[in-house]
Amino acid sequence: MRLSRYFLPVLKETPSEAQIASHRLMLRAGMIKQASAGIYSWLPLGWRVLKRVEQIVHEEQQRMGHIPMLMPTIQPADLWQESGRYNAYGPEMLRIRDRHDRDMLFGPTNEEMITDIFRAHVSSYRDLPLTLYHVQWKFRDEVRPRFGVMRGREFLMKDGYNFDLTYEDALHAYNRHLVSYLRTYERMGLQAIPMRAESGPIGGDDTHEFLVLAETGESGVFYDSEITDLRFGDRQIDPDDREGCRAVLEEFTSRYARTDDTHDAAAFEAQVPEERRREARGIEVGQIFYFGTKYSEPMGATVVDPEGNRVPVHMGSHGIGVSRLLGAIIEANHDERGIIWPEGVTPFHVGLVNLKQGDATADTACDQIYAALGQAGLDTLYHDGDDRAGAKFATMDLIGLPWRITVGPRGLEKGVVELTSRRTGESEEMTPEQAVTRLAQIYAPHR
Amino acid sequence: MRLSRYFLPVLKETPSEAQIASHRLMLRAGMIKQASAGIYSWLPLGWRVLKRVEQIVHEEQQRMGHIPMLMPTIQPADLWQESGRYNAYGPEMLRIRDRHDRDMLFGPTNEEMITDIFRAHVSSYRDLPLTLYHVQWKFRDEVRPRFGVMRGREFLMKDGYNFDLTYEDALHAYNRHLVSYLRTYERMGLQAIPMRAESGPIGGDDTHEFLVLAETGESGVFYDSEITDLRFGDRQIDPDDREGCRAVLEEFTSRYARTDDTHDAAAFEAQVPEERRREARGIEVGQIFYFGTKYSEPMGATVVDPEGNRVPVHMGSHGIGVSRLLGAIIEANHDERGIIWPEGVTPFHVGLVNLKQGDATADTACDQIYAALGQAGLDTLYHDGDDRAGAKFATMDLIGLPWRITVGPRGLEKGVVELTSRRTGESEEMTPEQAVTRLAQIYAPHR
C-alpha cells in the first residue's frame, strides 16, 4: 500500500480524553475514532490488526476441531426468559423494543441462543462431542465506558460453546480450550496467564481467566513468579489427546495465580516461597467456563445416551476478547515513540521509507523493492510522501511496524538499503534482495 | 472436514414457513436457523458460503483501490439529526435508548457516520480521491420480514463511500464501482444487470440497481434482451482508467433496462424492437449512487481546493447485499434435488462419498484421497457416515457441492473412482490422482 493512496489520519497531538497508552496510541496512529461513548469505528490501520487477530483466533479454534458459525447480534428476549437471565442481567444489557413491540436485546453473550440451536437439531449422543463458536460483535452497556477498546460498549468477541455427554468429556473440552488459548495468545506475542476466577453471570464450577500483565490492568493479580517462565511454544497437541491437554492444564495452572476476586492471602503465603510471590496488575483477555447443565436443564437441551435415557448435555463456554486484545497488545508492546507490533499481528509486515521522494533513482529503487516485497507475499506500507525523513520515521515509529526499509541516495550508490528493527532500533545495511529474503525468513513462522 | 466431526443439521421435511426455493433450501441444507422474525443464525455450512461471498467482495473492492475499515453497528442519533434523516427515516430504523437515556440506533446505512469521519480527518484536496468501505451487519426493521435472508431484518452489507473534489471525479468513482460490481457478481456465478433506479432515502441524481433475474424476484423488470448476452469476463481495468471505466458503463447501461419503479412504457417501445423486449422479475443485489453534496454540505465535510477555497466534497455510496446474495445465488442455481453452488462460492470444493464405510480398503482409499485433496488446497466434505449410498448422495445433492468423488469397492478393484458434476449429473471414472488434478484445474480460476 502506498501511503498516498491510503487513509492513515495520524494525530500530532495526544488526545486529552485518553488515560492509558493503548487508547492514546490507537487514536494517534489513526486506528480508531470514537463514534459515541465506548463505541468505535475501526479506521483502516486498526481494521487490519483487528482482522489479523480475528484470523489467528479462527485458525487456532479450527486447529482444535471447533466449528465456526455466526449468530446474529439481535436476540429475542424470550430465550433469556427461559434461562432466567433476562431479569437477572441488569442494566448492562441493551434492551430494545422493535416496531411490533417485541422485546429484543443486543446480545452480550450467546449461551441461550446456542442452546436453542443445539436442542432444535441434536438429539443423540452420537452427535457429540460438539463445539461451536463464532466471532461476533457484542454489546454491554457499561455505565462508564473507558480506556478505548479495553472497556468499550460494542466489542468483538469470540465465544465458543461445547456440548458433551459426560462431565469427563466436558472437562476435556475445557482443557482443550485452555490449550488453544495459550497458543492463540502466544501467536499474538502475548503472555496470558490462566488464573482461577469467579464465574459471574455466566455461572459454573470451573473457570479460568487469562490475564496479560500490564501496569494499566484493571485487575489486581497475585502469582508465583515461576509462571512467567512457562511457554506453550510450538507443541502440537491432538484435539483428541485427553492426557496431553490435561497435562498442559496441570502445567499452567498448578502454581498459585489468582485475581483479586479469588485471592486468598493465607494460601498465597503457604504455597509460594516469599521470593517468588508477585503482586501486579493484569488485563483480562479471555475466560473459559465449565457450567454443566445450567442452561441445558432449564432449556431442555437433552440427548439420548447409549442406554437410551434422555439426559441434559454438559456445557461450557469460552471467550476471547478480540477487540480488547488490540489494547492489551499495545499496553504490552509500546515505547515513548509509539506502538511496537509483534510480528504475528502487525498491520503491514514492513514500512518502506524513501528518503528522497522525487529523485528518479530513489523512486525507482523503492518501486522495485515494493514490488519484490509483494512478490514475496509481504504487505508493505510505502511512505511515498514529500515529508522530510524525520517526519517519515516518526510516523513509522508511531504506527509500530516491526521492520522498516530505508532507501536513500547515499546507500543506493553502494547498492544497499537499511533494515531497521522497531523494537531494538538497530539498523543493518544490506542489498535490497537481502532485505527481502531476511524479512521473508522473519515472517515465515507467522504465515 | 469429516461429516462425523461437523455440524450439518439437514432437514428431511420442507419447512412450511418457507415460500421460496432459496429459503427452503437454506433451511433444509442446514445453512441457517431463524432466531426471530427476519433474524438468522448462520449454521456452519451457511457461514462458509457467507465468508466466501464476503471475501470476493473484499478482493474486488481492494482491486479497485477502495480501502477497508469497519464502522460500528450502533450509531448515535445526533449524527442523523444533523443530516435531517433521523425523523425522515421512519419505522424501519431500529431506535434504541441506552442506560443514560441517549438516543441511539442500529445503523441501516452509514452515510452520516462516514461523513463525520471524513470531516474530522480530511481537509485538503490533496487527500482525494478517497473511497472507504466496510462490510458490516445492518438492521432494517421490516414490517413483514420474509423470504429468509432475502428480506431479513439483520443483514450483512458492503457499503462504500467515495469522496471527490469535483463532479467529474465523483462520476469516475461511480463508474469504477459499476465495473467492480460487474466483476464481483460474475465471480459468484451471477449475472446482475445494472438498471436505472430511483434513489429512495439515500438521495441522489444518478443511481443504478443491480438485478439478478429470478422468478421469485420482488421487482418487475423490463429490458432489452441483448443485455443478457453481455459478459464482463476477465477484463483487467486499472482503477485510474477513466475512459476504460466509462466505456464499461456505456456498454452495460446504454440499452433499456429498468425496474417497475422507473419503467417508461413509451420509451421501452420506442427504444427496443418488439422481439427483444423482455418483461421478467429480478432480485436486487446491489445499488450505486452519486448524490453530490447532499451530506457534505449540511455536515460541513469540506476540503480546501487548489485555489484555496473551501468546498464541500462530492460523494456517492455503493452497496452490495452480502447476506442477501446467498439467497439470490440459490434462486438462480438449484434444481428439485437441492442447491447447485457455483465454483466461486461453494462452501466446500468437493464432496467425498465412501460407498462402503467400514471396509478397510475403501476407508484407506478415502483417507488417502482426502489427504491428497487437502494437499492440493481443496476443501473436502467427506461423508464418512454409515448411511446407505442413496442417502449420502441425497445429502450431497441437497447441499449442492459442485463436484463429488465417489469411492466404492468395485471401482477400487479397477483403480478408479467416480467424479460427478452436480450441475450436469455426469460422472466420469478416473484414478484418484486424476480426480485431484482435474479438480485443482477446475478451481484454479477461483483461488
Side-chain angles (χ1 to χ4, degrees):
Chain A
M1 179 62 65
R2 286 166 195 270
L3 188 57
S4 61
R5 292 286 184 125
Y6 203 49
F7 181 61
L8 183 73
V10 297
L11 305 181
K12 293 238 165 59
E13 262 120 73
T14 297
S16 59
E17 76 271 25
Q19 297 165 38
I20 61 171
S22 59
H23 190 192
R24 270 196 304 274
L25 288 170
M26 289 179 82
L27 290 168
R28 285 197 55 212
M31 290 179 63
I32 54 172
K33 178 181 186 304
Q34 183 175 295
S36 54
I39 305 178
Y40 291 88
S41 288
W42 297 80
L43 303 182
L45 193 75
W47 180 85
R48 289 183 77 103
V49 184
L50 189 68
K51 282 288 135 184
R52 186 70 196 125
V53 168
E54 187 184 338
Q55 180 61 27
I56 290 175
V57 168
H58 273 299
E59 287 172 12
E60 294 305 325
Q61 286 304 301
Q62 291 175 45
R63 186 195 300 275
M64 287 318 235
H66 306 159
I67 304 173
M69 58 171 301
L70 188 64
M71 288 174 273
T73 65
I74 301 296
Q75 305 187 14
D78 52 10
L79 275 182
W80 289 67
Q81 277 149 352
E82 275 192 69
S83 72
R85 283 207 295 180
Y86 188 62
N87 294 319
Y89 213 92
E92 284 196 6
M93 178 184 278
L94 188 68
R95 291 157 209 265
I96 300 168
R97 193 158 280 179
D98 74 8
R99 70 190 289 175
H100 296 301
D101 272 335
R102 279 174 299 219
D103 284 318
M104 315 289 286
L105 56 99
F106 198 123
T109 175
N110 284 64
E111 281 79 10
E112 284 80 358
M113 190 173 274
I114 196 78
T115 304
D116 181 53
I117 290 169
F118 181 88
R119 70 182 172 185
H121 291 301
V122 182
S123 59
S124 163
Y125 76 94
R126 285 197 185 83
D127 294 326
L128 304 183
L130 177 65
T131 294
L132 297 166
Y133 79 92
H134 72 160
V135 179
Q136 177 61 293
W137 292 92
K138 308 286 193 296
F139 203 97
R140 285 182 197 163
D141 202 357
E142 298 275 352
V143 65
R144 201 162 66 82
R146 58 195 180 281
F147 303 154
V149 300
M150 297 271 272
R151 189 161 287 278
R153 295 198 291 169
E154 185 169 333
F155 59 97
L156 189 60
M157 189 166 116
K158 169 256 154 181
D159 42 323
Y161 305 88
N162 67 286
F163 301 90
D164 287 281
L165 181 62
T166 66
Y167 172 71
E168 290 69 32
D169 292 351
L171 270 196
H172 171 56
Y174 185 90
N175 300 345
R176 194 179 63 228
H177 277 87
L178 183 131
V179 168
S180 75
Y181 279 28
L182 290 170
R183 195 177 161 105
T184 299
Y185 296 125
E186 284 193 9
R187 280 188 64 187
M188 298 176 189
L190 285 178
Q191 179 171 46
I193 304 170
M195 301 196 180
R196 182 154 293 282
E198 291 210 75
S199 60
I202 306 281
D205 308 321
D206 274 309
T207 176
H208 282 91
E209 279 180 343
F210 290 78
L211 285 108
V212 173
L213 299 179
E215 284 168 28
T216 49
E218 289 193 271
S219 311
V221 297
F222 301 84
Y223 61 95
D224 180 336
S225 67
E226 284 190 351
I227 285 180
T228 51
D229 297 332
L230 300 174
R231 293 288 177 280
F232 185 80
D234 199 30
R235 307 181 207 187
Q236 303 293 332
I237 296 182
D238 188 278
D240 296 332
D241 177 0
R242 296 190 171 217
E243 188 40 47
C245 290
R246 206 199 52 71
V248 171
L249 176 97
E250 190 70 25
E251 177 184 347
F252 280 80
T253 66
S254 59
R255 293 174 187 81
Y256 191 98
R258 297 197 183 179
T259 65
D260 38 19
D261 287 337
T262 56
H263 179 53
D264 175 340
F268 192 37
E269 288 187 21
Q271 291 170 30
V272 188
E274 191 170 0
E275 70 278 10
R276 298 203 327 240
R277 282 181 219 144
R278 296 288 183 278
E279 195 180 330
R281 302 204 67 78
I283 301 167
E284 192 212 322
V285 293
Q287 189 160 5
I288 55 177
F289 297 92
Y290 162 74
F291 47 67
T293 60
K294 178 178 155 70
Y295 298 91
S296 57
E297 212 145 0
M299 295 184 67
T302 59
V303 293
V304 174
D305 73 9
E307 285 76 44
N309 306 310
R310 195 160 266 286
V311 295
V313 287
H314 287 258
M315 293 174 58
S317 74
H318 314 279
I320 292 180
V322 174
S323 48
R324 163 181 280 206
L325 269 167
L326 275 75
I329 293 168
I330 296 174
E331 290 296 333
N333 296 280
H334 70 276
D335 62 17
E336 68 291 348
R337 289 175 293 140
I339 302 165
I340 308 170
W341 291 114
E343 272 87 358
V345 298
T346 184
F348 293 95
H349 297 114
V350 53
L352 177 62
V353 167
N354 185 344
L355 290 179
K356 208 170 178 186
Q357 207 77 40
D359 173 85
T361 313
D363 289 0
T364 304
C366 282
D367 287 346
Q368 286 167 350
I369 295 169
Y370 183 78
L373 289 164
Q375 284 290 325
L378 295 164
D379 289 331
T380 306
L381 185 64
Y382 173 19
H383 196 322
D384 60 349
D386 296 329
D387 320 36
R388 59 192 172 70
K392 287 187 176 184
F393 292 155
T395 297
M396 286 293 181
D397 285 351
L398 173 62
I399 68 170
L401 309 184
W403 298 94
R404 190 184 77 211
I405 295 178
T406 309
V407 178
R410 250 192 309 184
L412 288 176
E413 278 175 26
K414 295 187 288 175
V416 298
V417 298
E418 217 174 60
L419 182 66
T420 306
S421 158
R422 171 70 180 86
R423 196 171 285 279
T424 67
E426 281 164 24
S427 291
E428 203 179 327
E429 288 195 339
M430 57 186 79
T431 66
E433 296 71 29
Q434 287 168 332
V436 173
T437 304
R438 176 79 66 85
L439 287 168
Q441 285 163 353
I442 288 168
Y443 281 105
H446 299 284
R447 300 300 180 81
Chain B
M1 178 62 66
R2 286 167 195 269
L3 188 57
S4 60
R5 292 286 185 125
Y6 202 51
F7 182 61
L8 183 73
V10 297
L11 306 180
K12 293 235 166 61
E13 262 119 73
T14 297
S16 59
E17 76 270 28
Q19 299 166 38
I20 61 172
S22 59
H23 190 191
R24 270 197 304 274
L25 289 170
M26 289 180 82
L27 290 168
R28 284 198 55 211
M31 291 179 63
I32 55 171
K33 179 183 186 302
Q34 183 174 295
S36 54
I39 305 179
Y40 291 89
S41 288
W42 297 80
L43 302 182
L45 193 76
W47 180 84
R48 288 184 77 104
V49 184
L50 189 68
K51 283 287 135 184
R52 187 68 197 126
V53 168
E54 187 184 337
Q55 180 60 27
I56 290 175
V57 168
H58 273 299
E59 288 172 12
E60 294 306 323
Q61 287 304 302
Q62 291 175 45
R63 185 194 301 274
M64 288 318 239
H66 306 160
I67 305 173
M69 58 171 303
L70 188 63
M71 288 174 273
T73 65
I74 301 296
Q75 305 188 15
D78 51 10
L79 274 181
W80 289 67
Q81 277 149 354
E82 274 193 68
S83 73
R85 283 207 294 179
Y86 189 63
N87 294 320
Y89 213 92
E92 284 197 5
M93 179 184 278
L94 188 67
R95 291 157 210 262
I96 302 170
R97 192 159 281 179
D98 74 7
R99 69 189 290 173
H100 296 300
D101 272 336
R102 280 175 297 220
D103 284 319
M104 316 287 286
L105 56 99
F106 198 124
T109 175
N110 284 64
E111 282 79 9
E112 284 80 358
M113 191 172 272
I114 197 77
T115 305
D116 181 52
I117 290 169
F118 180 88
R119 71 182 170 183
H121 291 301
V122 181
S123 59
S124 164
Y125 76 94
R126 284 196 186 84
D127 295 325
L128 304 183
L130 177 65
T131 294
L132 298 165
Y133 79 92
H134 72 160
V135 179
Q136 177 60 294
W137 292 91
K138 307 286 193 295
F139 203 96
R140 286 183 196 163
D141 202 357
E142 298 276 351
V143 64
R144 202 163 65 83
R146 57 194 179 281
F147 303 153
V149 301
M150 297 271 273
R151 189 164 286 277
R153 295 199 291 169
E154 186 169 331
F155 59 96
L156 189 60
M157 189 167 116
K158 171 257 154 180
D159 40 323
Y161 305 88
N162 68 287
F163 300 90
D164 287 280
L165 182 63
T166 66
Y167 172 70
E168 290 70 31
D169 293 350
L171 269 197
H172 171 57
Y174 186 91
N175 300 345
R176 194 178 64 228
H177 277 87
L178 184 131
V179 168
S180 75
Y181 279 27
L182 290 171
R183 195 176 161 106
T184 299
Y185 297 124
E186 284 194 10
R187 280 190 63 187
M188 297 175 191
L190 286 176
Q191 179 171 46
I193 304 170
M195 301 196 180
R196 181 154 294 281
E198 290 211 75
S199 60
I202 305 281
D205 307 322
D206 273 311
T207 176
H208 282 91
E209 279 180 341
F210 291 78
L211 285 108
V212 172
L213 299 179
E215 283 167 30
T216 49
E218 290 193 90
S219 311
V221 297
F222 303 83
Y223 62 94
D224 181 336
S225 67
E226 283 190 351
I227 284 180
T228 51
D229 298 332
L230 300 174
R231 293 288 178 280
F232 185 79
D234 199 30
R235 308 180 205 187
Q236 304 292 333
I237 296 182
D238 188 278
D240 296 333
D241 178 0
R242 295 190 171 217
E243 188 39 48
C245 290
R246 206 200 52 71
V248 172
L249 176 98
E250 190 70 23
E251 177 184 348
F252 280 81
T253 66
S254 60
R255 292 174 187 81
Y256 191 96
R258 297 198 185 180
T259 65
D260 37 19
D261 287 337
T262 55
H263 179 54
D264 175 340
F268 193 38
E269 288 187 23
Q271 291 170 30
V272 188
E274 192 171 0
E275 69 279 10
R276 298 204 324 241
R277 282 180 221 146
R278 296 287 183 279
E279 193 180 333
R281 303 204 66 78
I283 301 167
E284 191 213 321
V285 293
Q287 190 161 4
I288 55 178
F289 297 93
Y290 163 75
F291 47 67
T293 59
K294 176 177 156 72
Y295 297 91
S296 57
E297 213 145 358
M299 294 185 68
T302 59
V303 293
V304 173
D305 75 9
E307 286 76 43
N309 306 310
R310 195 160 266 285
V311 296
V313 288
H314 288 258
M315 293 174 58
S317 74
H318 314 279
I320 292 180
V322 174
S323 49
R324 164 181 281 207
L325 268 168
L326 275 76
I329 292 168
I330 295 173
E331 289 297 332
N333 296 279
H334 69 275
D335 62 17
E336 68 293 346
R337 288 176 294 140
I339 302 166
I340 308 169
W341 292 114
E343 272 87 358
V345 299
T346 183
F348 293 94
H349 298 115
V350 52
L352 177 62
V353 168
N354 185 344
L355 290 180
K356 208 170 177 187
Q357 206 78 39
D359 173 86
T361 314
D363 289 0
T364 304
C366 283
D367 287 347
Q368 285 167 350
I369 295 168
Y370 183 76
L373 289 163
Q375 284 290 327
L378 295 164
D379 290 331
T380 306
L381 185 65
Y382 172 19
H383 196 322
D384 59 350
D386 296 329
D387 320 37
R388 58 191 173 71
K392 288 187 176 184
F393 292 154
T395 297
M396 286 295 180
D397 285 351
L398 173 62
I399 68 172
L401 310 184
W403 298 94
R404 189 185 78 211
I405 295 178
T406 309
V407 178
R410 251 190 311 183
L412 289 176
E413 279 174 27
K414 295 187 288 176
V416 297
V417 298
E418 218 175 60
L419 182 66
T420 306
S421 158
R422 171 69 181 88
R423 196 171 288 276
T424 66
E426 280 164 25
S427 290
E428 202 179 328
E429 288 195 339
M430 56 186 80
T431 67
E433 296 71 30
Q434 286 168 332
V436 174
T437 305
R438 176 80 67 85
L439 287 168
Q441 284 163 353
I442 288 168
Y443 282 106
H446 299 284
R447 300 298 180 84

